[in-house]
Amino acid sequence: MDPRASLSILLLLVGISLAKPVRPGSPAFLSIPGNVDITTKFLETNKGSSEHLMEGDLVFPKTKNALYCLNNNCFWNKNTSNLVEVPYILSSEYSSTDISVIQNAMSTFHNKTCIRFVPRLNQTDYISIENKDGCYSYLGRIGGKQVVSLKRTGCVYHGIIQHELNHALGFYHEHTRSDRDKYVKINWEYIPTDKASNFQIQKTNNQNTTYDYSSVMHYGKTAFTTQAGKNTITPIPDATVTIGQRQDMSKLDILRINELYGCVGWTNSLLRQISDCQDQLGEHDMSYIFQKQNTNNQDTPYDYGSIMHYGRTAFSIQPGLETITPIPDGTLEIGQMQGMSDTDILRINKLYGC
Ligand SMILES: [Zn+2]
């Protein structure tokens, strides 16, 4: 059996309405509205930017490759408590809501890694988070003040903030990592010549982590495409794999930060927490669970009362928000766990010719 199928069944048994853990401070967890992936969103926002941006949202680095830099001088330093401090200041142009969304995105780093974004006192090197003309960042620590631009309209979203902060920590885009050709195919025919550099492979240190389609640092399928609907990046061998998610850092994103910065204890405790089940599913790419399957419906009607039906909020990333809504009557009950429905029983009998 397809391991994903068996996992789905396992999950179903574990709890029909299994929802993702609620993120801390969920009111400040702001997702990008509509069906837009992270790349599409920031590339759209960055169209008017006057900065020279590499890969769409990286300010041209004055330093060398961040993940391979001399004497580690493009990374942030640890304090005496073994925590990596990244001092920051925030533009006064942000509203209190903006600030809580930004700080909530930072808190993910604080909860899962040894990175600490701390309000700047008098530190020499710091990031200045500003409402400039796009979403972009330098790569790694460049020394002195460095701007992370989070335009109020278009960039103040949980996943985009994390994405830009990850650049400031020294991370490239996932699709440019050194071994990417084994995992994605770049469709150069749909990439404008002047944007081709955005897809060039970088000499990256992949820290023995597998290629991560669900990384918050991965571009979406149609990034920079010249033709609407044509993919510039196609996952291989399974072209249907979701890439370019915009919700939150993946487990591997977090693991890499911990590895790169030598967060003692964090990596191990995180690894222990990853159940086999979640590990195989990938924390954020749950979308395939909802993909239609080629099923034999045995001439039975769709059964809202089936014991095989997910609940309304299964895998929801926001408490109370439904991932499945019955139509046309949104009030119908779905996802019961009491017992097999008449139709469930009928199907067994039909399938096995009882
Ligand atoms: Zn980026």
PDB file of all heavy atoms in Angstrom, residues 5-41:
ATOM      1  N   ALA A   5      -1.092   6.500   1.822  1.00  0.00           N
ATOM      2  CA  ALA A   5      -2.461   6.044   2.015  1.00  0.00           C
ATOM      3  C   ALA A   5      -2.606   5.427   3.391  1.00  0.00           C
ATOM      4  O   ALA A   5      -3.562   5.695   4.110  1.00  0.00           O
ATOM      5  CB  ALA A   5      -2.823   5.040   0.927  1.00  0.00           C
ATOM      6  N   SER A   6      -1.593   4.600   3.779  1.00  0.00           N
ATOM      7  CA  SER A   6      -1.708   3.977   5.092  1.00  0.00           C
ATOM      8  C   SER A   6      -1.618   5.020   6.192  1.00  0.00           C
ATOM      9  O   SER A   6      -2.270   4.906   7.225  1.00  0.00           O
ATOM     10  CB  SER A   6      -0.655   2.886   5.272  1.00  0.00           C
ATOM     11  OG  SER A   6       0.589   3.304   4.814  1.00  0.00           O
ATOM     12  N   LEU A   7      -0.832   6.049   5.964  1.00  0.00           N
ATOM     13  CA  LEU A   7      -0.755   7.112   6.956  1.00  0.00           C
ATOM     14  C   LEU A   7      -2.078   7.841   7.083  1.00  0.00           C
ATOM     15  O   LEU A   7      -2.521   8.187   8.167  1.00  0.00           O
ATOM     16  CB  LEU A   7       0.341   8.112   6.567  1.00  0.00           C
ATOM     17  CG  LEU A   7       1.729   7.700   6.989  1.00  0.00           C
ATOM     18  CD1 LEU A   7       2.768   8.522   6.275  1.00  0.00           C
ATOM     19  CD2 LEU A   7       1.887   7.824   8.491  1.00  0.00           C
ATOM     20  N   SER A   8      -2.717   8.045   5.925  1.00  0.00           N
ATOM     21  CA  SER A   8      -4.005   8.730   5.952  1.00  0.00           C
ATOM     22  C   SER A   8      -4.988   7.943   6.785  1.00  0.00           C
ATOM     23  O   SER A   8      -5.722   8.483   7.589  1.00  0.00           O
ATOM     24  CB  SER A   8      -4.563   8.895   4.541  1.00  0.00           C
ATOM     25  OG  SER A   8      -3.695   9.669   3.769  1.00  0.00           O
ATOM     26  N   ILE A   9      -4.953   6.615   6.578  1.00  0.00           N
ATOM     27  CA  ILE A   9      -5.879   5.764   7.306  1.00  0.00           C
ATOM     28  C   ILE A   9      -5.546   5.793   8.791  1.00  0.00           C
ATOM     29  O   ILE A   9      -6.411   5.932   9.638  1.00  0.00           O
ATOM     30  CB  ILE A   9      -5.837   4.329   6.740  1.00  0.00           C
ATOM     31  CG1 ILE A   9      -6.462   4.350   5.348  1.00  0.00           C
ATOM     32  CG2 ILE A   9      -6.567   3.356   7.651  1.00  0.00           C
ATOM     33  CD1 ILE A   9      -6.175   3.140   4.518  1.00  0.00           C
ATOM     34  N   LEU A  10      -4.257   5.756   9.087  1.00  0.00           N
ATOM     35  CA  LEU A  10      -3.835   5.818  10.478  1.00  0.00           C
ATOM     36  C   LEU A  10      -4.348   7.094  11.123  1.00  0.00           C
ATOM     37  O   LEU A  10      -4.917   7.080  12.209  1.00  0.00           O
ATOM     38  CB  LEU A  10      -2.306   5.754  10.557  1.00  0.00           C
ATOM     39  CG  LEU A  10      -1.705   5.866  11.964  1.00  0.00           C
ATOM     40  CD1 LEU A  10      -2.115   4.673  12.790  1.00  0.00           C
ATOM     41  CD2 LEU A  10      -0.186   5.955  11.891  1.00  0.00           C
ATOM     42  N   LEU A  11      -4.188   8.190  10.402  1.00  0.00           N
ATOM     43  CA  LEU A  11      -4.642   9.463  10.948  1.00  0.00           C
ATOM     44  C   LEU A  11      -6.134   9.469  11.177  1.00  0.00           C
ATOM     45  O   LEU A  11      -6.632  10.001  12.154  1.00  0.00           O
ATOM     46  CB  LEU A  11      -4.268  10.604   9.988  1.00  0.00           C
ATOM     47  CG  LEU A  11      -2.812  11.021  10.076  1.00  0.00           C
ATOM     48  CD1 LEU A  11      -2.457  11.934   8.930  1.00  0.00           C
ATOM     49  CD2 LEU A  11      -2.538  11.706  11.405  1.00  0.00           C
ATOM     50  N   LEU A  12      -6.813   8.828  10.244  1.00  0.00           N
ATOM     51  CA  LEU A  12      -8.264   8.774  10.359  1.00  0.00           C
ATOM     52  C   LEU A  12      -8.647   8.035  11.634  1.00  0.00           C
ATOM     53  O   LEU A  12      -9.548   8.413  12.357  1.00  0.00           O
ATOM     54  CB  LEU A  12      -8.832   8.062   9.127  1.00  0.00           C
ATOM     55  CG  LEU A  12     -10.331   8.152   8.967  1.00  0.00           C
ATOM     56  CD1 LEU A  12     -10.731   9.585   8.663  1.00  0.00           C
ATOM     57  CD2 LEU A  12     -10.787   7.243   7.855  1.00  0.00           C
ATOM     58  N   LEU A  13      -7.891   6.976  11.901  1.00  0.00           N
ATOM     59  CA  LEU A  13      -8.177   6.204  13.102  1.00  0.00           C
ATOM     60  C   LEU A  13      -7.812   6.996  14.350  1.00  0.00           C
ATOM     61  O   LEU A  13      -8.489   6.942  15.369  1.00  0.00           O
ATOM     62  CB  LEU A  13      -7.393   4.882  13.076  1.00  0.00           C
ATOM     63  CG  LEU A  13      -7.836   3.907  11.980  1.00  0.00           C
ATOM     64  CD1 LEU A  13      -6.873   2.741  11.906  1.00  0.00           C
ATOM     65  CD2 LEU A  13      -9.254   3.412  12.224  1.00  0.00           C
ATOM     66  N   VAL A  14      -6.733   7.733  14.256  1.00  0.00           N
ATOM     67  CA  VAL A  14      -6.279   8.480  15.426  1.00  0.00           C
ATOM     68  C   VAL A  14      -7.307   9.535  15.815  1.00  0.00           C
ATOM     69  O   VAL A  14      -7.586   9.773  16.967  1.00  0.00           O
ATOM     70  CB  VAL A  14      -4.906   9.137  15.153  1.00  0.00           C
ATOM     71  CG1 VAL A  14      -4.558  10.135  16.225  1.00  0.00           C
ATOM     72  CG2 VAL A  14      -3.823   8.068  15.080  1.00  0.00           C
ATOM     73  N   GLY A  15      -7.872  10.153  14.848  1.00  0.00           N
ATOM     74  CA  GLY A  15      -8.868  11.168  15.165  1.00  0.00           C
ATOM     75  C   GLY A  15      -9.390  11.804  13.902  1.00  0.00           C
ATOM     76  O   GLY A  15      -8.630  12.359  13.146  1.00  0.00           O
ATOM     77  N   ILE A  16     -10.680  11.659  13.704  1.00  0.00           N
ATOM     78  CA  ILE A  16     -11.239  12.125  12.452  1.00  0.00           C
ATOM     79  C   ILE A  16     -11.095  13.626  12.323  1.00  0.00           C
ATOM     80  O   ILE A  16     -10.813  14.151  11.263  1.00  0.00           O
ATOM     81  CB  ILE A  16     -12.701  11.659  12.340  1.00  0.00           C
ATOM     82  CG1 ILE A  16     -12.687  10.181  11.957  1.00  0.00           C
ATOM     83  CG2 ILE A  16     -13.448  12.461  11.291  1.00  0.00           C
ATOM     84  CD1 ILE A  16     -14.011   9.558  11.737  1.00  0.00           C
ATOM     85  N   SER A  17     -11.242  14.331  13.413  1.00  0.00           N
ATOM     86  CA  SER A  17     -11.129  15.781  13.328  1.00  0.00           C
ATOM     87  C   SER A  17      -9.761  16.262  13.769  1.00  0.00           C
ATOM     88  O   SER A  17      -9.624  17.329  14.323  1.00  0.00           O
ATOM     89  CB  SER A  17     -12.205  16.441  14.175  1.00  0.00           C
ATOM     90  OG  SER A  17     -13.458  16.169  13.609  1.00  0.00           O
ATOM     91  N   LEU A  18      -8.756  15.431  13.516  1.00  0.00           N
ATOM     92  CA  LEU A  18      -7.398  15.802  13.915  1.00  0.00           C
ATOM     93  C   LEU A  18      -7.043  17.142  13.302  1.00  0.00           C
ATOM     94  O   LEU A  18      -6.997  17.294  12.097  1.00  0.00           O
ATOM     95  CB  LEU A  18      -6.434  14.724  13.418  1.00  0.00           C
ATOM     96  CG  LEU A  18      -4.965  14.894  13.782  1.00  0.00           C
ATOM     97  CD1 LEU A  18      -4.792  14.809  15.282  1.00  0.00           C
ATOM     98  CD2 LEU A  18      -4.145  13.830  13.101  1.00  0.00           C
ATOM     99  N   ALA A  19      -6.830  18.097  14.135  1.00  0.00           N
ATOM    100  CA  ALA A  19      -6.471  19.418  13.623  1.00  0.00           C
ATOM    101  C   ALA A  19      -5.033  19.691  13.989  1.00  0.00           C
ATOM    102  O   ALA A  19      -4.499  19.110  14.926  1.00  0.00           O
ATOM    103  CB  ALA A  19      -7.364  20.481  14.228  1.00  0.00           C
ATOM    104  N   LYS A  20      -4.394  20.562  13.219  1.00  0.00           N
ATOM    105  CA  LYS A  20      -3.023  20.922  13.540  1.00  0.00           C
ATOM    106  C   LYS A  20      -3.001  21.675  14.861  1.00  0.00           C
ATOM    107  O   LYS A  20      -3.964  22.319  15.224  1.00  0.00           O
ATOM    108  CB  LYS A  20      -2.461  21.823  12.452  1.00  0.00           C
ATOM    109  CG  LYS A  20      -2.133  21.067  11.204  1.00  0.00           C
ATOM    110  CD  LYS A  20      -1.398  21.956  10.255  1.00  0.00           C
ATOM    111  CE  LYS A  20      -0.084  22.411  10.857  1.00  0.00           C
ATOM    112  NZ  LYS A  20       0.663  23.239   9.934  1.00  0.00           N
ATOM    113  N   PRO A  21      -1.875  21.568  15.574  1.00  0.00           N
ATOM    114  CA  PRO A  21      -1.803  22.294  16.838  1.00  0.00           C
ATOM    115  C   PRO A  21      -2.028  23.795  16.603  1.00  0.00           C
ATOM    116  O   PRO A  21      -1.606  24.321  15.573  1.00  0.00           O
ATOM    117  CB  PRO A  21      -0.376  22.040  17.315  1.00  0.00           C
ATOM    118  CG  PRO A  21       0.192  20.998  16.441  1.00  0.00           C
ATOM    119  CD  PRO A  21      -0.653  20.882  15.230  1.00  0.00           C
ATOM    120  N   VAL A  22      -2.669  24.401  17.547  1.00  0.00           N
ATOM    121  CA  VAL A  22      -2.920  25.839  17.438  1.00  0.00           C
ATOM    122  C   VAL A  22      -1.608  26.573  17.670  1.00  0.00           C
ATOM    123  O   VAL A  22      -0.878  26.287  18.600  1.00  0.00           O
ATOM    124  CB  VAL A  22      -3.938  26.262  18.509  1.00  0.00           C
ATOM    125  CG1 VAL A  22      -4.188  27.753  18.437  1.00  0.00           C
ATOM    126  CG2 VAL A  22      -5.223  25.490  18.332  1.00  0.00           C
ATOM    127  N   ARG A  23      -1.316  27.457  16.802  1.00  0.00           N
ATOM    128  CA  ARG A  23      -0.101  28.233  16.969  1.00  0.00           C
ATOM    129  C   ARG A  23      -0.300  29.257  18.078  1.00  0.00           C
ATOM    130  O   ARG A  23      -1.381  29.772  18.252  1.00  0.00           O
ATOM    131  CB  ARG A  23       0.202  28.979  15.677  1.00  0.00           C
ATOM    132  CG  ARG A  23       1.138  28.218  14.802  1.00  0.00           C
ATOM    133  CD  ARG A  23       1.376  29.035  13.563  1.00  0.00           C
ATOM    134  NE  ARG A  23       0.567  28.536  12.482  1.00  0.00           N
ATOM    135  CZ  ARG A  23       0.802  27.396  11.861  1.00  0.00           C
ATOM    136  NH1 ARG A  23       1.794  26.634  12.214  1.00  0.00           N
ATOM    137  NH2 ARG A  23       0.037  27.012  10.882  1.00  0.00           N
ATOM    138  N   PRO A  24       0.791  29.541  18.793  1.00  0.00           N
ATOM    139  CA  PRO A  24       0.657  30.535  19.848  1.00  0.00           C
ATOM    140  C   PRO A  24       0.251  31.885  19.266  1.00  0.00           C
ATOM    141  O   PRO A  24       0.713  32.263  18.187  1.00  0.00           O
ATOM    142  CB  PRO A  24       2.064  30.589  20.457  1.00  0.00           C
ATOM    143  CG  PRO A  24       2.969  29.941  19.463  1.00  0.00           C
ATOM    144  CD  PRO A  24       2.125  28.996  18.662  1.00  0.00           C
ATOM    145  N   GLY A  25      -0.585  32.566  19.982  1.00  0.00           N
ATOM    146  CA  GLY A  25      -0.962  33.923  19.564  1.00  0.00           C
ATOM    147  C   GLY A  25      -1.673  33.941  18.243  1.00  0.00           C
ATOM    148  O   GLY A  25      -1.390  34.777  17.397  1.00  0.00           O
ATOM    149  N   SER A  26      -2.592  33.001  18.050  1.00  0.00           N
ATOM    150  CA  SER A  26      -3.178  32.882  16.720  1.00  0.00           C
ATOM    151  C   SER A  26      -3.850  34.141  16.159  1.00  0.00           C
ATOM    152  O   SER A  26      -3.864  34.305  14.956  1.00  0.00           O
ATOM    153  CB  SER A  26      -4.121  31.688  16.654  1.00  0.00           C
ATOM    154  OG  SER A  26      -4.743  31.483  17.862  1.00  0.00           O
ATOM    155  N   PRO A  27      -4.398  35.048  16.976  1.00  0.00           N
ATOM    156  CA  PRO A  27      -4.984  36.232  16.344  1.00  0.00           C
ATOM    157  C   PRO A  27      -3.958  37.010  15.525  1.00  0.00           C
ATOM    158  O   PRO A  27      -4.288  37.652  14.541  1.00  0.00           O
ATOM    159  CB  PRO A  27      -5.477  37.067  17.533  1.00  0.00           C
ATOM    160  CG  PRO A  27      -5.643  36.101  18.640  1.00  0.00           C
ATOM    161  CD  PRO A  27      -4.592  35.050  18.420  1.00  0.00           C
ATOM    162  N   ALA A  28      -2.701  36.919  15.942  1.00  0.00           N
ATOM    163  CA  ALA A  28      -1.680  37.660  15.218  1.00  0.00           C
ATOM    164  C   ALA A  28      -1.069  36.831  14.093  1.00  0.00           C
ATOM    165  O   ALA A  28      -0.179  37.260  13.403  1.00  0.00           O
ATOM    166  CB  ALA A  28      -0.582  38.091  16.181  1.00  0.00           C
ATOM    167  N   PHE A  29      -1.599  35.624  13.944  1.00  0.00           N
ATOM    168  CA  PHE A  29      -1.094  34.770  12.868  1.00  0.00           C
ATOM    169  C   PHE A  29      -1.847  35.126  11.603  1.00  0.00           C
ATOM    170  O   PHE A  29      -2.997  34.774  11.428  1.00  0.00           O
ATOM    171  CB  PHE A  29      -1.323  33.305  13.238  1.00  0.00           C
ATOM    172  CG  PHE A  29      -0.884  32.342  12.182  1.00  0.00           C
ATOM    173  CD1 PHE A  29       0.419  31.917  12.127  1.00  0.00           C
ATOM    174  CD2 PHE A  29      -1.767  31.891  11.217  1.00  0.00           C
ATOM    175  CE1 PHE A  29       0.831  31.031  11.146  1.00  0.00           C
ATOM    176  CE2 PHE A  29      -1.364  31.016  10.228  1.00  0.00           C
ATOM    177  CZ  PHE A  29      -0.055  30.594  10.194  1.00  0.00           C
ATOM    178  N   LEU A  30      -1.222  35.892  10.757  1.00  0.00           N
ATOM    179  CA  LEU A  30      -1.909  36.410   9.589  1.00  0.00           C
ATOM    180  C   LEU A  30      -1.448  35.663   8.354  1.00  0.00           C
ATOM    181  O   LEU A  30      -0.282  35.691   7.991  1.00  0.00           O
ATOM    182  CB  LEU A  30      -1.591  37.904   9.469  1.00  0.00           C
ATOM    183  CG  LEU A  30      -2.433  38.723   8.526  1.00  0.00           C
ATOM    184  CD1 LEU A  30      -3.914  38.535   8.830  1.00  0.00           C
ATOM    185  CD2 LEU A  30      -2.067  40.182   8.673  1.00  0.00           C
ATOM    186  N   SER A  31      -2.400  34.973   7.724  1.00  0.00           N
ATOM    187  CA  SER A  31      -2.070  34.275   6.492  1.00  0.00           C
ATOM    188  C   SER A  31      -2.391  35.170   5.313  1.00  0.00           C
ATOM    189  O   SER A  31      -3.202  36.080   5.411  1.00  0.00           O
ATOM    190  CB  SER A  31      -2.893  33.001   6.366  1.00  0.00           C
ATOM    191  OG  SER A  31      -2.428  32.057   7.281  1.00  0.00           O
ATOM    192  N   ILE A  32      -1.749  34.853   4.209  1.00  0.00           N
ATOM    193  CA  ILE A  32      -2.006  35.619   3.009  1.00  0.00           C
ATOM    194  C   ILE A  32      -3.411  35.302   2.508  1.00  0.00           C
ATOM    195  O   ILE A  32      -3.769  34.144   2.395  1.00  0.00           O
ATOM    196  CB  ILE A  32      -0.959  35.270   1.940  1.00  0.00           C
ATOM    197  CG1 ILE A  32       0.431  35.599   2.476  1.00  0.00           C
ATOM    198  CG2 ILE A  32      -1.226  36.022   0.652  1.00  0.00           C
ATOM    199  CD1 ILE A  32       1.536  34.934   1.723  1.00  0.00           C
ATOM    200  N   PRO A  33      -4.220  36.323   2.258  1.00  0.00           N
ATOM    201  CA  PRO A  33      -5.580  36.046   1.816  1.00  0.00           C
ATOM    202  C   PRO A  33      -5.613  35.436   0.425  1.00  0.00           C
ATOM    203  O   PRO A  33      -4.734  35.677  -0.391  1.00  0.00           O
ATOM    204  CB  PRO A  33      -6.241  37.428   1.818  1.00  0.00           C
ATOM    205  CG  PRO A  33      -5.126  38.402   1.713  1.00  0.00           C
ATOM    206  CD  PRO A  33      -3.927  37.751   2.337  1.00  0.00           C
ATOM    207  N   GLY A  34      -6.648  34.667   0.166  1.00  0.00           N
ATOM    208  CA  GLY A  34      -6.843  34.111  -1.164  1.00  0.00           C
ATOM    209  C   GLY A  34      -5.883  32.989  -1.456  1.00  0.00           C
ATOM    210  O   GLY A  34      -5.089  32.579  -0.630  1.00  0.00           O
ATOM    211  N   ASN A  35      -5.968  32.484  -2.645  1.00  0.00           N
ATOM    212  CA  ASN A  35      -5.197  31.325  -3.030  1.00  0.00           C
ATOM    213  C   ASN A  35      -3.891  31.758  -3.684  1.00  0.00           C
ATOM    214  O   ASN A  35      -3.641  31.512  -4.845  1.00  0.00           O
ATOM    215  CB  ASN A  35      -6.046  30.467  -3.982  1.00  0.00           C
ATOM    216  CG  ASN A  35      -5.366  29.168  -4.307  1.00  0.00           C
ATOM    217  OD1 ASN A  35      -4.536  28.699  -3.531  1.00  0.00           O
ATOM    218  ND2 ASN A  35      -5.693  28.602  -5.446  1.00  0.00           N
ATOM    219  N   VAL A  36      -3.065  32.452  -2.929  1.00  0.00           N
ATOM    220  CA  VAL A  36      -1.829  32.995  -3.491  1.00  0.00           C
ATOM    221  C   VAL A  36      -0.663  32.444  -2.704  1.00  0.00           C
ATOM    222  O   VAL A  36      -0.675  32.475  -1.486  1.00  0.00           O
ATOM    223  CB  VAL A  36      -1.831  34.539  -3.365  1.00  0.00           C
ATOM    224  CG1 VAL A  36      -0.559  35.121  -3.916  1.00  0.00           C
ATOM    225  CG2 VAL A  36      -3.034  35.134  -4.073  1.00  0.00           C
ATOM    226  N   ASP A  37       0.340  31.903  -3.404  1.00  0.00           N
ATOM    227  CA  ASP A  37       1.468  31.387  -2.644  1.00  0.00           C
ATOM    228  C   ASP A  37       2.439  32.507  -2.307  1.00  0.00           C
ATOM    229  O   ASP A  37       2.340  33.614  -2.803  1.00  0.00           O
ATOM    230  CB  ASP A  37       2.138  30.217  -3.374  1.00  0.00           C
ATOM    231  CG  ASP A  37       2.868  30.664  -4.616  1.00  0.00           C
ATOM    232  OD1 ASP A  37       3.753  31.521  -4.502  1.00  0.00           O
ATOM    233  OD2 ASP A  37       2.529  30.161  -5.707  1.00  0.00           O
ATOM    234  N   ILE A  38       3.383  32.178  -1.455  1.00  0.00           N
ATOM    235  CA  ILE A  38       4.270  33.196  -0.894  1.00  0.00           C
ATOM    236  C   ILE A  38       5.064  33.926  -1.974  1.00  0.00           C
ATOM    237  O   ILE A  38       5.246  35.129  -1.925  1.00  0.00           O
ATOM    238  CB  ILE A  38       5.217  32.550   0.144  1.00  0.00           C
ATOM    239  CG1 ILE A  38       5.926  33.603   0.975  1.00  0.00           C
ATOM    240  CG2 ILE A  38       6.216  31.606  -0.487  1.00  0.00           C
ATOM    241  CD1 ILE A  38       6.622  33.010   2.183  1.00  0.00           C
ATOM    242  N   THR A  39       5.507  33.178  -2.968  1.00  0.00           N
ATOM    243  CA  THR A  39       6.332  33.807  -3.994  1.00  0.00           C
ATOM    244  C   THR A  39       5.508  34.771  -4.828  1.00  0.00           C
ATOM    245  O   THR A  39       5.920  35.897  -5.085  1.00  0.00           O
ATOM    246  CB  THR A  39       6.930  32.751  -4.942  1.00  0.00           C
ATOM    247  OG1 THR A  39       7.017  31.527  -4.273  1.00  0.00           O
ATOM    248  CG2 THR A  39       8.239  33.201  -5.478  1.00  0.00           C
ATOM    249  N   THR A  40       4.349  34.288  -5.242  1.00  0.00           N
ATOM    250  CA  THR A  40       3.492  35.133  -6.049  1.00  0.00           C
ATOM    251  C   THR A  40       3.232  36.437  -5.308  1.00  0.00           C
ATOM    252  O   THR A  40       3.283  37.516  -5.879  1.00  0.00           O
ATOM    253  CB  THR A  40       2.142  34.423  -6.306  1.00  0.00           C
ATOM    254  OG1 THR A  40       2.431  33.109  -6.751  1.00  0.00           O
ATOM    255  CG2 THR A  40       1.321  35.155  -7.335  1.00  0.00           C
ATOM    256  N   LYS A  41       2.979  36.304  -4.006  1.00  0.00           N
ATOM    257  CA  LYS A  41       2.636  37.474  -3.212  1.00  0.00           C
ATOM    258  C   LYS A  41       3.796  38.448  -3.136  1.00  0.00           C
ATOM    259  O   LYS A  41       3.650  39.625  -3.400  1.00  0.00           O
ATOM    260  CB  LYS A  41       2.208  37.021  -1.807  1.00  0.00           C
ATOM    261  CG  LYS A  41       1.694  38.123  -0.931  1.00  0.00           C
ATOM    262  CD  LYS A  41       0.375  38.673  -1.445  1.00  0.00           C
ATOM    263  CE  LYS A  41       0.056  40.005  -0.780  1.00  0.00           C
ATOM    264  NZ  LYS A  41      -1.107  40.645  -1.398  1.00  0.00           N
TER     265      LYS A  41
END
